């Protein structure tokens, strides 16, 4: 991983158009932060998108949008991989091709099994869906290989872990909130069956790139507002 003191300077200036409550944008924000890249962060109000953003940056209007020199890149999986490829010294890909393939499989399985639970709670207001987390972990955990503390024994999260990190932090945020049945987090944190997943997830949430880009209070306020508007 890059030294905390030395910023990685990209060949062309990088601007990240993002929004603090967007988990997709968080992927790119995390990778830039973790790799200690020099970049400019621009917050976009998605409820009131600036005209200049739509006209001059991204007519599609979505975040993340990454500007590299004069070129525009979109789609979080692509912008995130671009940063990892631009800075090989940040070691965001596993060096062993098999480990790299497995880590991608792990992220795919996570998105297939765990992402839906986040969507049901944050967008559907169905907090009962959180009980499905245990079955989802059973399906995803076999691919979480040698996560000590991160995939393949890495001392920092690898790209596939960064892709899922925004959802891990948000699911834990919901589990810690008044909306979730308390027993779920209690079981996750005390039952030995889930200790491998829970330790990995806790380490991921605490890793500097993830922690430094996740404003829990703001995200919680967004969620509460959403739930309140659904009740109206
Ligand atoms: N598939 C896109 C999804 C990005 C996305 O949906 N971003 C949302 C915010 S979380 C957005 O920009 N919404 C504004 C809009 O759709 O107009 C990615 O991975 O980058």
């Amino acid at each position: 991983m890059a030294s905390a003191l030395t910023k990685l300077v990209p060949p062309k200036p990088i601007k990240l158009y993002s929004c603090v409550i967007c988990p997709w944008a968080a992927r790119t924000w995390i990778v830039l932060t973790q790799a200690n890249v020099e970049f400019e962060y621009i917050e976009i109000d998605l409820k009131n998108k600036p005209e200049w953003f739509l006209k001059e940056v991204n007519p599609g209007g979505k975040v993340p949008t990454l500007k590299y020199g004069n070129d525009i890149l979109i789609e979080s999986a692509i912008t995130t991989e671009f940063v990892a490829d631009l800075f090989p010294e940040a070691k965001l890909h596993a060096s062993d091709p098999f480990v790299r393939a497995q880590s991608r499989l792990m992220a795919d399985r996570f998105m297939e099994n765990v992402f839906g639970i986040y969507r049901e709670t944050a967008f559907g207001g169905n907090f009962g869906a959180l009980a499905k987390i245990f079955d989802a972990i059973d399906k995803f955990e076999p691919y979480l290989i040698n996560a000590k503390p991160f995939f393949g024994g890495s001392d920092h999260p690898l790209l596939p872990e960064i892709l899922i990190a925004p959802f891990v932090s948000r699911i834990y945020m919901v589990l810690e909130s008044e909306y979730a049945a308390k027993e779920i987090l209690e079981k996750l944190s005390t039952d030995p069956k889930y200790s491998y997943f829970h330790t990995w997830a806790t380490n991921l949430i605490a890793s500097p790139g993830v922690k430094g880009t996740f404003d829990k209070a703001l995200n919680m306020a967004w969620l509460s507002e959403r739930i309140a508007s659904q009740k109206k």
Side-chain angles (χ1 to χ4, degrees):
M1 200 164 32
S3 143
L5 297 174
T6 341
K7 281 256 177 215
L8 296 179
V9 181
K12 297 179 191 174
I14 290 182
K15 287 185 182 179
L16 174 65
Y17 302 87
S18 178
C19 175
V20 282
I21 52 102
C22 175
W24 309 104
R27 290 171 152 185
T28 317
W29 193 8
I30 292 169
V31 80
L32 287 164
T33 305
Q34 182 183 301
N36 204 20
V37 173
E38 203 170 271
F39 72 101
E40 188 182 341
Y41 179 97
I42 298 134
E43 175 77 7
I44 298 296
D45 180 353
L46 293 176
K47 283 190 186 146
N48 186 18
K49 291 177 197 162
E51 224 175 285
W52 58 261
F53 178 60
L54 296 167
K55 271 197 180 146
E56 293 154 32
V57 184
N58 181 2
K62 284 198 195 268
V63 295
T65 300
L66 188 125
K67 193 167 182 193
Y68 178 60
N70 291 322
D71 294 315
I72 296 293
L73 279 172
I74 56 167
E75 287 299 330
S76 59
I78 292 166
T79 50
T80 308
E81 187 169 40
F82 171 74
V83 175
D85 290 343
L86 195 61
F87 297 103
E89 61 271 53
K91 297 192 175 3
L92 293 156
H93 295 297
S95 50
D96 179 325
F98 180 76
V99 175
R100 187 168 164 172
Q102 280 281 354
S103 64
R104 294 183 64 174
L105 189 56
M106 180 275 295
D108 279 9
R109 288 290 178 266
F110 178 93
M111 291 308 279
E112 281 164 23
N113 292 290
V114 189
F115 170 65
I117 299 174
Y118 169 71
R119 201 177 38 206
E120 267 190 76
T121 55
F123 293 93
N126 173 17
F127 293 96
L130 289 167
K132 292 194 266 188
I133 189 89
F134 302 107
D135 281 349
I137 293 170
D138 286 345
K139 294 203 181 97
F140 151 80
E141 199 188 46
Y143 300 95
L144 191 63
I145 294 182
N146 195 19
K148 287 176 187 160
F150 300 109
F151 202 93
S154 168
D155 66 357
H156 56 275
L158 299 182
L159 187 61
E161 287 167 308
I162 291 174
L163 290 177
I164 59 181
F167 302 101
V168 176
S169 44
R170 281 161 178 79
I171 284 215
Y172 269 78
M173 175 189 81
V174 178
L175 286 171
E176 286 162 10
S177 78
E178 59 183 285
Y179 299 113
K182 292 216 172 340
E183 306 79 65
I184 300 179
L185 187 57
E186 206 174 289
K187 185 168 171 181
L188 267 185
S189 48
T190 55
D191 189 330
K193 185 170 186 309
Y194 301 104
S195 73
Y196 189 70
F197 169 82
H198 182 65
T199 304
W200 166 81
T202 310
N203 282 327
L204 186 62
I205 293 168
S207 68
V210 178
K211 193 172 177 202
T213 55
F214 183 53
D215 188 327
K216 207 197 261 185
L218 253 172
N219 273 275
M220 203 53 225
W222 171 83
L223 183 73
S224 304
E225 205 179 295
R226 238 196 121 80
I227 304 307
S229 72
Q230 280 165 3
K231 282 186 183 151
K232 276 183 195 159

